[in-house]
Amino acid sequence: MRALPLRAALCSAAFMCPILFASAAVVAQSEHESAQSAKLVIELAPSAVPDAHRLLPKAGEASFENAPANFHAFASAHLGEIADEEQLTLKFNASTQLTRIESSKDFFLDPASRCQVGNRYAEGDSCVLLVRFTPQGAGRRLGKLTISHTASPQPMAFGLGGYGYAPVLSFTPGLITTVPGTYPSSVGLLSGALNLTVDGSDVLYITDIGNKLIRWIDSSGTINSIAPAFSTPASVAVDNFGIVYSTDVAASTYYFSYYTPYGGQAAFGYTSAPGTCTSNAPCAFSTVGMSHPANIVTDARNNLFMEDETRGALEMPVANFLSGGGLDLWYLYDEFAYTSFSGGAFAVDGGDNLYTSYTDSLGYPCYIVQEALYGAETGAPVYTRVAGTNKCGFSGDGGHAGNAEIGAKIGQIAFDTAGNLYFSDTNNQRVRRIDSSTGQINTIAGNGVAGYTGNGSQATAAELSSPTGVAVDSQGQVYIISSAATGQVVRKVGPNGQLVFSSQAKGTKSAARVVTVSNIGNTDMTLTSYNIGGLNASEFAIDPTTTSCILTPGALLYSGQSCKVGVIFTPAASGIRTGTLNFLDNTVTGTNTVLLAGAGVLPAPTFTITAPATSASETAGTAFSFSVSVTSATSPAPTGTVTMLLDGAALSGSPATLNGSGVATVSVTLSTLGSHTLSATYNGNSNYAAAGPITRTFSIVAVVFRPVKVAVKSSANPAPGCSTVDFSVTVTGTGGETPTGTVKLMKGAEMLGEASLSDGAASLPVLHLGVGANVLTASYGGDSTHAASTSAPFSQMVSASEACLPVRRRPWPILAPVGFLPR
């Protein structure tokens, strides 16, 4: 395949070079002309004598060798230290007046500079800007100097770069969110995205294969798009100058570079014809091409590395390319990538060690391996197993990564400035980190369940779905490509940590929850102080037993080092309780925060039904008690009310108030036969939680009366007339219970007397029964357990000679009027 038609090779003046046209990237001619005119008006003069340490950076520092024109590289600097001002000389190729001068956040523009807004400069003039590098993050930093002037409507932009040293705190568990704009209208923005990366100004780049775009999100959160010159941008990398590189893995294989926001894009595609290409005898890219390149990455010296399906992996230095020359490459001996014939994750660290994930066709072993670049270039590699075992799976968090199981699919590998390794453990629905200082592996996001949940909470408790790309910015924020209900989103872990406590009884201490504090920057973190703040600060406290961090002022946490802080939660009230654990330190923000949250709950009392008994039977129409007890082993005693229901309806007297003994009672009378349910709910108070409902089932049964025997006796039979006869009535029951109630002595329909039973007997005196035979009966009215009954007829004889007065209906004689005597 021939190269795509280009206007020219990428020019040496990369920041202000003409837009480069490719078949899928057409730019308006007016933009081209304005770029040309802007270049001719103002230029940035190269530094007279480059500092040696810029050309020979320390190990791991970003190199700015072969910088494009209109780019100024600063000496490395530490956060918080006053770096030397450096002179940037502006050359004017046409007459113009400066209307605005501004620089990005990492670069401080001295207002005492000789170049001033309002000054007019003639052709051939120059002026000096004094700029100081003030890194706002760890690692390579990228910025720009923007100058507006009257000779062009388009501002002039110059590139600025440097390497910053700064501590960066990261917390596990961290707070997880979805990057705004990546889930519009509940639909994932991305489709088939595999890789993402972050440049030196913390711009996030994402390969959106399904939509045939490279997305990029700047510090304002604005989502922008690059339409590449080919169809499937499968991977993306950014070098120290901000040049974006991508590869295509479709049938037509391309190499792609794009520089934003200063230039255009250039795309190259050649038929794959692998040769013998070594570091000592490189091959021209135009003669050998590539075969399905994937996982493109850059090292600290702007060299490109990527996987190649035919030869395993390759290296492509771009120094010559940036200077206007051609592109060369050579193959690396990457045994595992070559053997697997599939694009496993591939990366390079700050020491130019290569990393590859490998799983064979049988699904084991599952490895991440490391290989020194020298061995890969010379064909004598020595591999070190970084993570994984002979078995694919998930295990080993908290231990050495070499003893941990990982999944068969690794989406991407990335590094922070401390050298910690991050990888998306796709099949395990997690993102994991391997600490460079200890080799310990831990999950930083995902709970192993595929899904899209957990936003605004602990990342380790959130669900991820088939995570692919992973990247870390200069503030320690980790970006993850994960699937959602529809499409893919980008999720972010950090910068805050979070500890969420389970519900805890008011006034009681929780078990300690532990947050891991890691310095993932490239210099020491110095603690100024710490505090616990927030709405309910007094309810959270440091647990010295589980805390290994030194929390005294001046304590150091070295680059790559981690420690733990334990927190105990003692809620003072019920409901959601919140606080913040704040570390005041020498990081960029000056304060790093762990969010604290827990729910206070009131203790539950002992709540029981004391009456009626379980499965009791109550007699229809008879009152019985419904009683409950609400008590506690601790003081104060529960108070308040209890709502009491019968078959779901409130009982009379409900809610009932607890008495001093914690008892509430209502009386219940029910005539409907069958099963019924009593329910009680304690309504709680300021010291105890509501409890219940608790229930008790009982039955209402009909009354079953026991038979009795009623007998009548008299004191004399026959009895003389005009005398009182004492009758005794006895009522004898069955079943051992003594009948109660009343009895009546009857003579036909006439009641002669009525009395209450005492111990089953009653005495009824009767005066003046009629002469002759008096047939009497005793009638018993019954009680709650004994049936009513009547005695057998009883014949009481009264002597005729003795009879004197009619039978009285009262037990006592009626006195005759004075002067009247009976005959």
Side-chain angles (χ1 to χ4, degrees):
M1 181 186 298
R2 64 181 178 84
L4 287 177
L6 298 174
R7 175 175 171 82
L10 186 63
C11 61
S12 59
F15 276 81
M16 294 312 304
C17 64
I19 301 296
L20 301 178
F21 292 94
S23 60
V26 179
V27 183
Q29 184 68 18
S30 60
E31 293 178 340
H32 169 66
E33 290 173 351
S34 63
Q36 286 278 33
S37 62
K39 179 190 175 187
L40 295 176
V41 175
I42 306 173
E43 291 181 302
L44 180 64
S47 300
V49 181
D51 292 334
H53 62 266
R54 293 184 205 162
L55 299 178
L56 298 172
K58 295 180 182 178
E61 285 188 356
S63 170
F64 294 96
E65 291 182 87
N66 302 300
N70 291 321
F71 186 99
H72 183 86
F74 287 77
S76 61
H78 285 72
L79 174 68
E81 295 180 354
I82 301 177
D84 293 336
E85 287 185 332
E86 301 193 25
Q87 294 185 0
L88 280 67
T89 302
L90 302 183
K91 295 170 56 179
F92 296 90
N93 299 321
S95 177
T96 188
Q97 183 178 16
L98 302 184
T99 58
R100 185 180 181 87
I101 305 174
E102 60 182 343
S103 60
S104 51
K105 64 181 181 179
D106 289 76
F107 303 90
F108 174 74
L109 183 62
D110 192 331
S113 299
R114 295 184 60 185
C115 296
Q116 292 290 324
V117 171
N119 288 356
R120 178 171 292 278
Y121 297 92
E123 181 180 355
D125 286 348
S126 64
C127 66
V128 174
L129 288 171
L130 299 177
V131 182
R132 179 180 289 116
F133 178 36
T134 57
Q136 299 301 298
R140 61 181 185 179
R141 308 303 300 157
L142 184 67
K144 64 179 179 177
L145 178 68
T146 305
I147 300 177
S148 300
H149 58 98
T150 58
S152 171
Q154 298 296 326
M156 180 66 199
F158 303 108
L160 307 175
Y163 190 82
Y165 285 91
V168 179
L169 282 193
S170 172
F171 301 105
T172 306
L175 181 73
I176 191 170
T177 56
T178 292
V179 173
T182 66
Y183 199 43
S185 302
S186 300
V187 176
L189 177 72
L190 310 175
S191 174
L194 297 176
N195 290 151
L196 46 75
T197 193
V198 178
D199 74 4
S201 56
D202 290 328
V203 172
L204 180 67
Y205 293 87
I206 312 156
T207 58
D208 190 355
I209 294 176
N211 293 308
K212 301 181 179 180
L213 296 171
I214 295 177
R215 309 276 190 176
W216 59 281
I217 306 175
D218 60 21
S219 59
S220 70
T222 302
I223 299 178
N224 309 276
S225 297
I226 302 169
F230 47 76
S231 60
T232 53
S235 60
V236 62
V238 185
D239 71 9
N240 301 333
F241 305 118
I243 301 176
V244 181
Y245 302 92
S246 184
T247 59
D248 178 27
V249 293
S252 299
T253 304
Y254 297 99
Y255 160 87
F256 165 73
S257 73
Y258 183 94
Y259 195 88
T260 185
Y262 310 107
Q265 59 172 306
F268 304 84
Y270 301 102
T271 301
S272 177
T276 304
C277 309
T278 67
S279 58
N280 293 325
C283 297
F285 175 42
S286 59
T287 64
V288 295
M290 289 183 289
S291 176
H292 293 84
N295 294 299
I296 188 170
V297 293
T298 63
D299 68 2
R301 294 188 296 276
N302 294 315
N303 296 310
L304 298 182
F305 298 84
M306 64 195 80
E307 288 185 305
D308 179 276
E309 183 181 64
T310 303
R311 301 303 299 265
L314 61 84
E315 180 178 356
M316 181 180 287
V318 294
N320 187 45
F321 169 61
L322 294 178
S323 301
L327 286 169
D328 294 333
L329 63 80
W330 57 82
Y331 301 119
L332 302 173
Y333 190 89
D334 180 10
E335 178 183 10
F336 289 116
Y338 177 77
T339 303
S340 64
F341 285 102
S342 63
F346 181 77
V348 58
D349 66 12
D352 272 347
N353 296 299
L354 306 179
Y355 293 78
T356 305
S357 65
Y358 171 69
T359 302
D360 71 12
S361 60
L362 298 178
Y364 57 86
C366 284
Y367 288 157
I368 295 176
V369 295
Q370 177 203 73
E371 174 193 4
L373 178 59
Y374 176 79
E377 289 179 334
T378 60
V382 176
Y383 289 96
T384 300
R385 180 164 51 90
V386 175
T389 68
N390 288 330
K391 177 183 177 184
C392 298
F394 175 77
S395 69
D397 271 5
H400 195 277
N403 298 321
E405 293 177 0
I406 63 175
K409 183 178 180 181
I410 304 301
Q412 189 174 1
I413 298 171
F415 295 89
D416 59 33
T417 53
N420 301 310
L421 183 152
Y422 300 74
F423 68 96
S424 46
D425 197 345
T426 304
N427 289 357
N428 285 319
Q429 318 299 340
R430 290 174 167 90
V431 172
R432 303 169 83 177
R433 183 178 76 196
I434 303 172
D435 290 351
S436 61
S437 60
T438 63
Q440 187 180 95
I441 187 172
N442 286 286
T443 294
I444 64 164
N447 63 4
V449 177
Y452 176 59
T453 65
N455 277 330
S457 191
Q458 293 181 174
T460 51
E463 293 177 357
L464 299 177
S465 181
S466 300
T468 54
V470 61
V472 190
D473 72 9
S474 69
Q475 304 306 313
Q477 299 175 118
V478 180
Y479 297 90
I480 304 163
I481 299 173
S482 180
S483 297
T486 303
Q488 293 173 300
V489 300
V490 179
R491 305 187 76 179
K492 181 181 74 172
V493 179
N496 292 333
Q498 186 175 57
L499 289 178
V500 178
F501 292 81
S502 301
S503 296
Q504 187 67 28
K506 172 189 172 183
T508 63
K509 291 183 178 180
S510 72
R513 291 293 175 92
V514 177
V515 60
T516 299
V517 184
S518 302
N519 181 0
I520 65 170
N522 52 10
T523 191
D524 302 339
M525 188 280 289
T526 303
L527 182 69
T528 303
S529 64
Y530 82 94
N531 65 68
I532 295 179
L535 292 176
N536 311 114
S538 62
E539 300 175 28
F540 299 91
I542 300 297
D543 173 41
T545 302
T546 54
T547 296
S548 62
C549 294
I550 300 174
L551 299 179
T552 55
L556 298 178
L557 187 65
Y558 301 114
S559 172
Q561 186 180 37
S562 297
C563 61
K564 298 181 183 297
V565 175
V567 179
I568 292 175
F569 173 45
T570 308
S574 60
I576 300 299
R577 321 299 289 171
T578 60
T580 56
L581 172 58
N582 304 306
F583 297 92
L584 281 67
D585 48 49
N586 63 330
T587 58
V588 170
T589 58
T591 302
N592 292 269
T593 299
V594 178
L595 305 177
L596 308 173
V601 295
L602 297 175
T606 301
F607 184 32
T608 57
I609 295 176
T610 57
T614 303
S615 301
S617 295
E618 303 293 343
T619 302
T622 303
F624 64 94
S625 293
F626 178 25
S627 296
V628 298
S629 172
V630 185
T631 59
S632 175
T634 59
S635 295
T639 59
T641 61
V642 179
T643 298
M644 307 173 87
L645 307 177
L646 172 64
D647 296 331
L651 284 166
S652 177
S654 172
T657 302
L658 296 173
N659 64 21
S661 300
V663 174
T665 301
V666 296
S667 179
V668 182
T669 301
L670 194 61
S671 59
T672 304
L673 303 182
S675 178
H676 298 273
T677 300
L678 292 167
S679 171
T681 300
Y682 172 55
N683 297 316
N685 64 6
S686 60
N687 295 307
Y688 292 94
I694 54 176
T695 59
R696 179 64 52 84
T697 301
F698 67 100
S699 298
I700 293 294
V701 296
V703 179
V704 179
F705 297 106
R706 297 187 179 94
V708 296
K709 182 179 181 182
V710 182
V712 181
K713 292 182 180 181
S714 65
S715 58
N717 195 3
C722 297
S723 64
T724 298
V725 180
D726 291 324
F727 289 93
S728 63
V729 180
T730 58
V731 181
T732 305
T734 59
E737 293 185 3
T738 301
T740 60
T742 60
V743 291
K744 297 176 181 179
L745 188 62
M746 306 294 293
K747 182 178 179 181
E750 181 183 13
M751 185 177 71
L752 302 178
E754 183 177 9
S756 297
L757 291 174
S758 176
D759 200 21
S763 177
L764 295 95
V766 178
L767 177 63
H768 295 301
L769 284 169
V771 176
N774 294 271
V775 178
L776 309 177
T777 58
S779 176
Y780 170 57
D783 62 14
S784 61
T785 58
H786 295 90
S789 184
T790 302
S791 68
F794 178 79
S795 181
Q796 174 65 49
M797 298 300 296
V798 176
S799 171
S801 60
E802 298 294 330
C804 60
L805 291 173
V807 175
R808 304 291 183 181
R809 295 185 180 183
R810 296 182 182 180
W812 302 102
I814 300 175
L815 298 178
V818 176
F820 178 81
L821 294 174
R823 287 180 290 180

